[in-house]
Structures are given as C-alpha cells and as structure tokens.
Amino acid sequence: MNTGVFVLLATLLVVAALGVVLARSPIRSALSLVVALFFLAVFFLLLDAQLIAALQVIVYAGAIMVLFLFVIMLLNLQEHPAEMARAGLRFLAGTLASLFLLATIYFTNRSGISNAQGMGAIPDGFDSTAQIAERLFTQHLFAFELTSLLLLVAIISAVVLAKKKLA
Amino acid sequence: MGLEILIAAVKALTVILMVLSLAGVLGWVERKGSALIQDRIGANRASIFGFAGAGLVNTMMADPLKFLTKEDVIPTGVDKLLHTLAPCVNLFPVIVAFAAVPFGDTVEIAGRTIQLQAVQLNVGVLFVLAMASLGVYGVVLGGWASNNRFSLLGGIRGSAQMISYELGMGLSVVVVVMTFGTLDLQEIVRAQGHMIGGILPGWGVFYQPVAFVLFFIAGIAETKRVPFDLPEGESELVSGYFTEYSGIKYLMFFMTDFAEIAVISALVSTFFFGGWQVPFLGDDGFHFGSTSMALPKLIVVLLQLASFMVKVLFFCWFQIMVRWTMPRLRYDQLMRFGWKGMLPVSLLNLVVTAVVIVAFQEWRV
C-alpha cells in the first residue's frame, strides 16, 4: 500500500471515528460510524481482501447501521445535553477507551508484526471465497453451527417478544 | 503506469456517462411510455427556438436546464448538511454499482488486453449487493433531514421496504452464484456462452427461471416504483422522502430513480440473459451447428456491445411498462408479499438448487 494513500485514508478514518464520539446529534454520530466503516472497507480493498471489504460494507454499513438509523428515526432521538454532561459516565467511558487503546498497542507490539513483515507476499489462494468456505465448513464447522443456532434463538425470541406485546 | 490510469479513467468515464445518459433518455421514454398507455401524445412541449420536433433531444436538454435554474429551497429547522447530503448519498451507490457490470468481452488494442468492465472484481456479485444495501441511506436521510412528517413516513416506509426486498434479491442471486460457481460478474457472463442442446442459449433464465422472476420483482421493489411506490405514494405522502427537495437536488433524486432502473436492467441481463453474449456468436464468428460464418474481431465486439445495450434497454422499457400498468399495493400487502411470499419461495428455490447440484454434479454449468 502506498504510504501517501495510507496516510490520507487513515486521516479520513480517524476524522470519521472522532465524529462518532463528538457529534451532538445521534443521527450524525451514527452516520459518522457508517463513514468510518466504509473507510475500513477501503483499507481491506487496498490490502487485496476484496471479499472482506464487500462483507464489511454489506454487514456493517448495509445492515447493522441501517437498523441503528431506523431506531434513531423511529424513536426520534434528540440531543440530550443533560445526559451528555453526566461527568461520571464520561470519565468511565474515557478510561475504558484509553485502556482499550493501550491494550491494542501493547498486544500489537508483542505480536511482533512489524511494517516490513506485514507487507510480505500474499499467499496463494488468499481471499478466495472457496478457501474461506472450505475452512468454515471443515475446521470451524462447530463454531459455525453454534453461531447459526445462536442466531436462530435470537430470531425466535424476537418473535416471541413481539407476539407477547400484541396479545 | 500512466497508461494504466488513463485506461481506468476512460472506462470509469464511459460507465458514468452510460448511466447518466441512460437516465436522461429514460426520463423521456417514461413520459412517452405513459402517454402511449394513457392514449395521449405527451412530452411534446419542449421547444428550442420554436423547434419542437426532436422530442428526445429537446426534453433531455430542457429538463436539466429547468431544474438547474430553479430555486433551491432548504426548509427551516433542518440539518442543512444532511439535507444536502441525502441526494448525493442516494445517487452515489447506483452509479458505482454499474462499475462492476461487464458490458463486453476483452478487446486487444495495441497488444494490450482490455476488459470491457470498469473494475474487475473477484467478488463482483457481493459488490453489487453491497451497493444496493447502501441505497437505503439516501432514502432514510432524505426523509429524516426534511423536518416533515410526510417525508419521515416516506423514509421509514422506504427503508423497511428496501431491507425486506433485499433478502429476496440476495437469495435469488445466491442461486445464480451456485449455478455458475463464481462471484465474478464477467465469469458469470462467460459461463452463459454455450448452447443447451445446440438450440437454446445457455442463459441463466433457462437454468433458474424462478430466481429470475424473484430477482426482477425484488429489483422493481428496490427502485421504489409502482407497484411498490409506497415510499413516494403521491396520493398519500405528497412525494414521500423527497417532498422537501427542489432544483438540482430534486433532479438528483429523479435521476437516481432512472439510474436504478438502468442498473437493475443491467443486472438482470448479466445474471439471467447472458450479458453481452450473442446466441451462436463465438470469438471468431457465428457457429450454427456445422455451418459457421467467420467475422472479424471488431465486428464481434461491436455485436456484443450492441447485444448488452439491447437487453438493458428492453428491460428498462419493460419496467416502465410495468409502472404504468400496475396498481399500487397496500402497505400490509407489500410487507406480506415480501416476507411471506418472496422469502419462502426463494429459500425453497435455494434448497432445490443445492440438492440438484449435489445430486447431478454434471449439470453444473
């Protein structure tokens, strides 16, 4: 990846991510998250991972965030200055975020992935849908089935909850 | 390096011009089509210096000029940034989606092989679906950022509808992917080049007729036109999510509508009607059984381009005819049709296809 392109994209990504935290209106905040996820997908594209980039856009930007926006619109959430000012909550959130950042930096350092190493040759069959599918249905079959079971349970509970409200 | 960028730029420009000019032409075709069905003459008032004869050209020039010179009204009490952003967000994914659609085979110019496709993606199918799923944002934003109850209702209706019909669309595309065994749109088109039993073109529609019907219905629902035009619903919601737009921004919503028709037509042709394939036409000319007719490569490429355009235009025309002949669904009918009609049928189609492919490996294209 070209350094200039990387710096430009990274800046845009960080700006969008800051927008999520700093925007006062919930809808702007949610949209900033969409933009951030979109730039993340562009990073995957530049790393030759077209499949992951497409999935990133479909799942996060296309499905999950639409649901977020939908909820914000339906509940017609406005700015809540009173809650924003709650100092204890802000402190807690800030501390957790900083800890997370530090942990990420620590583990990245420890794992020994350096820039020179990370830009190595792409292994054969990388990002091929067939290979990912094969891994998913052989090595990780148990986890895969467990996840689908979890989703099924979630769907059924959603239906049950909705029916209860109607009755 | 410089040449590569130039080629990419030319291809990107071709695609953008193709979509936008198609959208302009369709604006006129829609009026003429509606006039035809309603037994009027229609769309013959645009005259340039008293010359009203060239209907298409006149309308194509008069429409944008009219919109460009109108006042751009931003209602009070709205989020100005989001209000302006909405039409752009609406138009962007539609044009970008077209970039993955192959409009011809490869051509060789000065020893260089050029794919007639703006971007060659291994996961073209997923890319197109991703862009379709981004289309919701323009609708949601337009509805929310207008500070208008009708707009908000239109936006909510639109997003619910698009999410619901994306499922049927995605599942019918999955079936196509299973049949041809690839996610690359160019490869899907190439796989449709053979003839079934020497007479029938090997197009997707003959392998997956159910998927074609499902995809086309879902596609019309995604364009939010009659019979699925609840988000706009003129008789209920004024104009739905773009009620509060005027001037150039209205034109952008308007163009998205027609660009979506073009993209759906292009995708239907690619998945189910062989894209740029011409029946009996091989790389070097026509082959009818034992007799064959040799053609120069240039003619073959031109024929393929023409074939793609003819298919796209046919499905555009078909969608316009559907719009002017169908009554609008009620909202509950729309939802019931999407979730209890389309979804089970497409799931069943998926299962049947999977069983057939596993049972008869040799059937696989």
Side-chain angles (χ1 to χ4, degrees):
Chain A
M1 200 186 333
N2 193 313
T3 317
V5 177
F6 173 78
V7 170
L8 179 71
L9 278 171
T11 315
L12 288 169
L13 177 60
V14 170
V15 167
L18 282 176
V20 182
V21 193
L22 296 177
R24 286 200 165 257
S25 97
I27 206 149
R28 278 197 178 191
S29 176
L31 284 172
S32 304
L33 189 51
V34 176
V35 174
L37 291 168
F38 202 81
F39 279 122
L40 212 56
V42 177
F43 270 110
F44 284 126
L45 266 188
L46 289 175
L47 290 168
D48 278 315
Q50 295 185 351
L51 178 67
I52 299 173
L55 290 181
Q56 166 92 10
V57 174
I58 292 177
V59 176
Y60 287 100
I64 295 177
M65 287 315 294
V66 170
L67 197 69
F68 273 41
L69 275 190
F70 208 61
V71 171
I72 293 173
M73 270 170 60
L74 277 180
L75 300 180
N76 205 7
L77 291 178
Q78 300 296 334
E79 297 166 27
H80 285 293
E83 268 171 47
M84 279 182 142
R86 215 184 279 170
L89 212 61
R90 280 178 123 178
F91 182 73
L92 184 68
T95 316
L96 281 177
S98 323
L99 275 178
F100 186 69
L101 183 66
L102 282 177
T104 314
I105 293 172
Y106 174 71
F107 284 113
T108 316
N109 258 340
R110 228 179 58 152
S111 69
I113 302 173
S114 67
N115 197 25
Q117 215 180 333
M119 291 293 145
I122 296 162
D124 210 27
F126 175 78
D127 190 47
S128 98
T129 321
Q131 209 176 51
I132 290 174
E134 206 184 304
R135 289 270 172 90
L136 206 59
F137 285 106
T138 52
Q139 275 180 22
H140 307 287
L141 184 65
F142 185 65
F144 179 80
E145 292 295 340
L146 218 57
T147 316
S148 50
L149 202 67
L150 191 69
L151 287 175
L152 188 66
V153 171
I155 292 170
I156 294 172
S157 14
V159 171
V160 168
L161 283 176
K163 287 253 169 188
K164 205 184 252 173
K165 223 172 186 180
L166 276 181
Chain B
M1 185 66 190
L3 200 60
E4 297 286 321
I5 293 176
L6 184 71
I7 292 171
V10 167
K11 283 201 284 194
L13 202 65
T14 313
V15 166
I16 292 177
L17 287 180
M18 195 149 77
V19 184
L20 293 184
S21 54
L22 211 54
V25 171
L26 286 177
W28 178 77
V29 173
E30 166 121 302
R31 286 180 208 178
K32 275 293 185 189
S34 70
L36 182 78
I37 284 200
Q38 294 165 353
D39 202 15
R40 300 180 281 118
I41 299 169
N44 60 349
R45 294 291 135 187
S47 71
I48 297 173
F49 302 120
F51 176 66
L56 171 62
V57 180
N58 276 358
T59 314
M60 267 183 88
M61 274 157 69
D63 259 359
L65 273 180
K66 190 185 78 179
F67 283 117
L68 279 170
T69 48
K70 275 196 172 180
E71 187 193 352
D72 176 29
V73 182
I74 296 182
T76 45
V78 302
D79 192 329
K80 286 205 178 82
L81 175 70
L82 296 187
H83 186 80
T84 310
L85 206 60
C88 313
V89 173
N90 208 27
L91 189 57
F92 166 78
V94 189
I95 296 178
V96 175
F98 218 100
V101 178
F103 46 90
D105 204 355
T106 51
V107 278
E108 285 200 29
I109 298 172
R112 196 179 272 275
T113 316
I114 297 173
Q115 296 270 352
L116 290 181
Q117 184 186 22
V119 247
Q120 217 231 325
L121 287 167
N122 300 332
V123 289
V125 173
L126 289 179
F127 175 77
V128 168
L129 287 179
M131 288 306 130
S133 68
L134 285 183
V136 185
Y137 285 109
V139 178
V140 172
L141 275 184
W144 192 83
S146 291
N147 194 23
N148 178 324
R149 297 284 146 86
F150 293 124
S151 296
L152 186 63
L153 267 177
I156 290 174
R157 276 184 183 187
S159 45
Q161 175 179 328
M162 288 176 84
I163 294 172
S164 307
Y165 280 83
E166 250 163 43
L167 289 172
M169 184 181 237
L171 283 171
S172 51
V173 173
V174 167
V175 174
V176 175
V177 171
M178 282 161 75
T179 312
F180 297 114
T182 173
L183 286 167
D184 187 337
L185 290 173
Q186 184 72 281
E187 289 300 317
I188 288 181
V189 174
R190 289 222 177 94
Q192 299 179 55
H194 62 282
M195 302 302 265
I196 307 170
I199 36 161
L200 210 57
W203 291 347
V205 67
F206 298 115
Y207 289 102
Q208 295 293 349
V210 182
F212 161 63
V213 174
L214 289 170
F215 184 86
F216 201 46
I217 294 175
I220 293 176
E222 291 282 309
T223 60
K224 302 175 287 299
R225 289 158 60 83
V226 180
F228 304 104
D229 75 328
L230 277 301
E232 291 166 35
E234 287 94 342
S235 48
E236 305 159 16
L237 299 180
V238 193
S239 197
Y241 56 93
F242 54 87
T243 305
E244 294 286 357
Y245 285 90
S246 55
I248 182 80
K249 291 175 196 162
Y250 180 82
L251 179 68
M252 284 172 84
F253 274 113
F254 198 67
M255 262 167 38
T256 311
D257 217 24
F258 291 114
E260 271 174 345
I261 299 178
V263 168
I264 293 297
S265 307
L267 290 179
V268 166
S269 332
T270 305
F271 288 142
F272 300 104
F273 289 87
W276 43 259
Q277 298 277 6
V278 185
F280 301 107
L281 183 68
D283 238 3
D284 49 353
F286 284 104
H287 299 280
F288 307 98
S290 52
T291 54
S292 55
M293 188 176 112
L295 285 173
K297 178 74 183 166
L298 183 67
I299 304 284
V300 171
V301 170
L302 287 179
L303 273 174
Q304 286 170 341
L305 284 176
S307 158
F308 178 69
M309 276 326 279
V310 165
K311 285 167 192 167
V312 168
L313 286 176
F314 171 77
F315 283 107
C316 290
W317 169 249
F318 193 77
Q319 285 183 69
I320 286 169
M321 287 299 104
V322 167
R323 184 206 195 287
W324 291 101
T325 40
M326 293 285 200
R328 178 187 304 154
L329 289 172
R330 224 172 42 225
Y331 195 69
D332 60 317
Q333 290 172 330
L334 171 97
M335 281 296 152
R336 198 178 312 135
F337 184 66
W339 288 98
K340 295 187 177 172
M342 300 262 298
L343 190 61
V345 172
S346 45
L347 278 173
L348 198 69
N349 192 28
L350 183 75
V351 173
V352 170
T353 308
V355 168
V356 168
I357 286 179
V358 172
F360 308 94
Q361 283 284 348
E362 70 274 19
W363 277 23
R364 203 161 152 164
V365 186

